[in-house]
Amino acid sequence: MGLALDREALGAYLDEVFPQVRGQFSVDELAPMDITMRLHVGDGHLRPGGTVSGPSMFALADVTVYALVLSMVGRRALAVTTNCSIDFMRKPASGCDLLARGRLLKLGRVLAVGDVLMMSEGSTTPVARASLTYSIPPDGSAAARAG
């Protein structure tokens, strides 16, 4: 199974459907069933003590699997998260972007299951691991046409 959206088309589509986070995330690498996303860490992503907040890491994991699902199924803006589990393992390095390596473990007709490892840029030691499930709107549905 090949890509429905390449890296450039995926980035443009994410900017279109989520302009409120434009510039916070980018796609570093994209292949079928595999993606590397970047969170451009800024002051708004930090909690007291200067570390990246849990909600920011959740957002990175969520957008990673969302982008990967869209890259495989095409413009389906209303694909939605149905489950997420995150293990926070260690404090991210300060002053570094976060990278998320995502892969789809299952891509079905209506459900996609993905796994994400997050690490500070320049490190191979994970700071968090997430497992997410997405619901994909059926072809021909109003939700699918909204994309």
Side-chain angles (χ1 to χ4, degrees):
M1 178 182 255
L3 293 172
L5 297 174
D6 65 18
R7 186 172 166 234
E8 293 73 28
L10 177 61
Y13 188 55
L14 290 173
D15 283 348
E16 176 188 325
V17 295
F18 288 114
Q20 64 271 33
V21 296
R22 184 177 287 130
Q24 291 186 41
F25 302 97
S26 60
V27 179
D28 279 11
E29 297 176 20
L30 179 62
M33 308 289 277
D34 194 84
I35 193 169
T36 301
M37 295 285 301
R38 175 181 301 267
L39 170 64
H40 301 277
V41 175
D43 290 341
H45 300 111
L46 304 179
R47 67 174 185 82
T51 190
V52 176
S53 70
S56 294
M57 286 192 270
F58 167 81
L60 176 59
D62 195 38
V63 77
T64 296
V65 176
Y66 181 70
L68 188 49
V69 168
L70 294 180
S71 76
M72 297 302 296
V73 302
R75 297 170 60 95
R76 298 272 194 80
L78 295 179
V80 295
T81 309
T82 60
N83 187 59
C84 178
S85 174
I86 299 179
D87 296 308
F88 298 101
M89 297 183 279
R90 57 189 51 85
K91 180 181 173 180
S94 63
C96 295
D97 286 350
L98 282 184
L99 300 178
R101 174 78 188 271
R103 62 190 173 114
L104 287 181
L105 305 174
K106 175 191 176 185
L107 179 60
R109 232 178 5 89
V110 295
L111 287 179
V113 178
D115 190 53
V116 178
L117 278 180
M118 291 171 270
M119 57 215 65
S120 298
E121 184 176 30
S123 175
T124 58
T125 305
V127 298
R129 185 199 66 81
S131 176
L132 294 95
T133 303
Y134 262 80
S135 175
I136 303 166
D139 287 336
S141 70
R145 289 190 305 271

